[in-house]
Amino acid sequence: MPARADAGHAGSPCRLTLSGITFHHSNVPSPKGTGHMTPRILLRASWQTANIGDVAHAPGGIQAIQRAAPDAEIVLWPVWLDERERAMLAAHLPEVTIVEGGIDAGGCPDSAALQAEFDAADLLVHGSGPSPLRAGDVRAWRTVTGKPYGFLGVTFDPFDPPQQATLPELELMIGQLPPVYLDAGLRDLLDHAAFVYCRDSLSLAYLRAQGVRSDVLELGPDATFACDVVDHEAAAATMAEFGLAEGRFACVIPAVRWTPYYRLRGFAPGQEHWRRDAVNALYTEADMAPLREGIVAWVRRTGCPVLIVPEMVHEVELGLRYLASGYPDDVQPFVHHLPRFWPLEEAAGVYARAAAVFGHECHSPIIASSYGTPGLYVREPCDTVKGRMYADLGLPHAQVEVTDGAAAVVGWVERVIDDPAGMRAVTRAGNERARALLSEAATVVTKAAEDGAVSWRR
């Protein structure tokens, strides 16, 4: 899809060198002899490193595109990478280039490297996330370059901050919104996007009801479903540390309703942060009860252990406080706690060997699904509409509301115990469905990049 005529760069204060680009090998016909130029895709992702789910978005998106277009050049434009994540990308995706920089107050790239990438890339992709987190960066790309852009696997929750409601309640609320509810600036950005892939059907229904006019407005799952980044050696060492046998243990992940970002990132809290802390203080004990009951049911039915693990940094302490102790004497010896935050690839290796993964976080079950390990997302009411993605992929059993109580979690645990092969087959089918949809989306992404190359490199 070529860039739209009204998405040009006229009047941009940024330096443009479209007539003097140093052409990459993408201008050479592909080795397959198709005569097509190899597309160069700039992926805006890697939102934070305190969450292995957010870490997984970038490699998942890269791998989804690579599977659809092995010859594509992919450049990662990260928001936040630490040395641990840089080492992971270098080890597992060494062919991917990383470009640093941001957008300055004038709407221009603030580094020479990023400016050069704005000149060279054919397409900007906003990666999977809980919202269009970097819509401003996409807007800058559109203004500066006029080249195509799009959104891959993003949740568009109309309520910000998220409401304390279940998914059925949110669906009802979304249905009450007038068609002029969507922010005008975001509407304009989405209308002119080459593609908008929503990672859940509630987001998709919302944007369609709002009349968004992108050429492609479809369901496109979270890119984490396509992530294959695993460290088997680290996983084996962790299992040995706790005496875990493959297929004979479960992993459990706690969370609070509101993530205390001011503590994780070291900035001063304000009134809204204090309000959220108060909500957490009110509900955390009760929200942990269904997980605790699930742990008891698992241990007593199987005689196998449980490992309490984090998806986010602060959940190490959370798990120790709420889930690691206080069980009956016949259960307590089987409950173990990982006393540190762990890398994505180690977590993936452990989840691959687990019999079950369940808890309050959305992405650990997704990571586990790549290996057929059944997972359950026990959604808390302050989460976004992203939780609908499980039902969208034929996995309605993989998500319950914490307000459904302990019976919902225990029932799922018993289902895994009673029919392990069946649950693994259903889980694999859900992951394969996600990957098939991502493959279709990645094909569209690549076509948009190729059209951009034809438009801008002639």
Side-chain angles (χ1 to χ4, degrees):
M1 291 163 207
R4 302 191 184 192
D6 58 348
H9 59 274
S12 167
C14 307
R15 177 184 62 80
L16 286 178
T17 57
L18 293 173
S19 61
I21 294 176
T22 300
F23 288 164
H24 295 261
H25 71 266
S26 55
N27 293 283
V28 180
S30 74
K32 297 180 181 178
T34 63
H36 293 167
M37 290 179 287
T38 300
R40 189 172 180 90
I41 298 168
L42 182 59
L43 175 64
R44 188 57 158 150
S46 298
W47 315 123
Q48 60 177 333
T49 59
N51 183 331
I52 60 173
D54 281 337
V55 172
H57 285 146
I62 291 167
Q63 290 172 318
I65 295 170
Q66 286 178 331
R67 290 170 190 138
D71 296 330
E73 295 178 342
I74 303 174
V75 178
L76 176 62
W77 179 18
V79 174
W80 192 341
L81 286 179
D82 292 329
E83 289 308 310
R84 180 183 64 234
E85 289 70 35
R86 292 179 189 277
M88 177 267 291
L89 291 168
H92 294 273
L93 297 164
E95 70 282 6
V96 174
T97 302
I98 296 174
V99 64
E100 310 287 356
I103 301 300
D104 65 22
C108 301
D110 64 5
S111 73
L114 184 58
Q115 177 64 60
E117 201 53 55
F118 267 44
D119 292 341
D122 304 307
L123 171 78
L124 174 67
V125 176
H126 185 297
S128 290
S131 68
L133 292 165
R134 291 287 163 160
D137 297 345
V138 178
R139 189 172 291 108
W141 164 272
R142 175 188 174 193
T143 301
V144 170
T145 73
K147 290 186 274 189
Y149 62 87
F151 297 81
L152 179 62
V154 177
T155 284
F156 295 87
D157 193 321
F159 306 113
D160 186 19
Q163 299 298 299
Q164 291 208 76
T166 65
L167 288 175
E169 290 168 344
L170 288 168
E171 183 174 18
L172 176 64
M173 293 166 66
I174 290 171
Q176 305 305 306
L177 299 175
V180 295
Y181 182 86
L182 182 64
D183 172 79
L186 180 58
R187 179 189 298 276
D188 180 67
L189 197 65
L190 297 177
D191 280 347
H192 292 92
F195 51 86
V196 177
Y197 284 100
C198 301
R199 67 176 178 173
D200 61 87
S201 59
L202 290 182
S203 292
L204 181 60
Y206 166 58
L207 294 188
R208 285 179 172 172
Q210 292 297 307
V212 168
R213 299 194 305 273
S214 172
D215 289 338
V216 177
L217 177 57
E218 299 291 345
L219 188 69
D222 191 305
T224 301
F225 280 103
C227 184
D228 282 325
V229 173
V230 60
D231 185 337
H232 294 295
E233 291 185 4
T238 298
M239 290 172 61
E241 177 184 354
F242 294 100
L244 306 177
E246 183 165 352
R248 301 285 296 169
F249 68 96
C251 291
V252 180
I253 306 98
V256 289
R257 295 197 176 191
W258 293 109
T259 301
Y261 282 113
Y262 73 93
R263 296 176 187 165
L264 302 186
R265 298 175 182 172
F267 60 84
Q271 186 179 54
E272 176 61 15
H273 302 104
W274 295 328
R275 185 192 71 81
R276 294 182 178 192
D277 281 350
V279 171
N280 288 343
L282 176 62
Y283 288 108
T284 299
E285 186 75 48
D287 287 352
M288 294 294 168
L291 301 189
R292 293 179 65 88
E293 291 298 320
I295 289 169
V296 170
W298 171 264
V299 172
R300 285 181 170 166
R301 283 285 311 274
T302 67
C304 295
V306 165
L307 184 63
I308 312 301
V309 297
E311 187 170 300
M312 295 194 70
V313 169
H314 67 286
E315 291 163 1
V316 175
E317 187 277 333
L318 193 67
L320 179 63
R321 178 177 177 183
Y322 288 97
L323 295 182
S325 60
Y327 296 95
D329 291 344
D330 63 323
V331 174
Q332 187 63 65
F334 295 89
V335 180
H336 307 291
H337 173 255
L338 186 68
R340 56 180 173 82
F341 190 55
W342 56 350
L344 163 66
E345 57 270 39
E346 179 186 350
V350 172
Y351 292 163
R353 292 162 169 81
V357 173
F358 63 95
H360 292 139
E361 289 286 9
C362 182
H363 283 86
S364 286
I366 296 176
I367 295 167
S369 74
S370 291
Y371 311 98
T373 302
L376 177 68
Y377 168 40
V378 185
R379 181 184 176 276
E380 294 175 297
C382 294
D383 284 348
T384 68
V385 298
K386 65 184 179 183
R388 180 56 62 86
M389 71 175 79
Y390 289 99
D392 297 335
L393 298 169
L395 295 169
H397 64 277
Q399 182 269 319
V400 298
E401 302 284 345
V402 72
T403 50
D404 292 337
V409 177
V410 171
W412 180 87
V413 167
E414 292 179 340
R415 183 175 178 180
V416 172
I417 295 169
D418 292 337
D419 185 19
M423 288 290 280
R424 290 186 67 83
V426 170
T427 301
R428 283 198 177 278
N431 185 272
E432 289 169 1
R433 169 65 172 158
R435 292 194 181 204
L437 289 171
L438 282 168
S439 178
E440 293 174 8
T443 300
V444 172
V445 169
T446 305
K447 179 63 165 57
E450 289 172 346
D451 288 349
V454 170
S455 173
W456 287 93
R457 296 187 182 182
R458 54 191 168 195

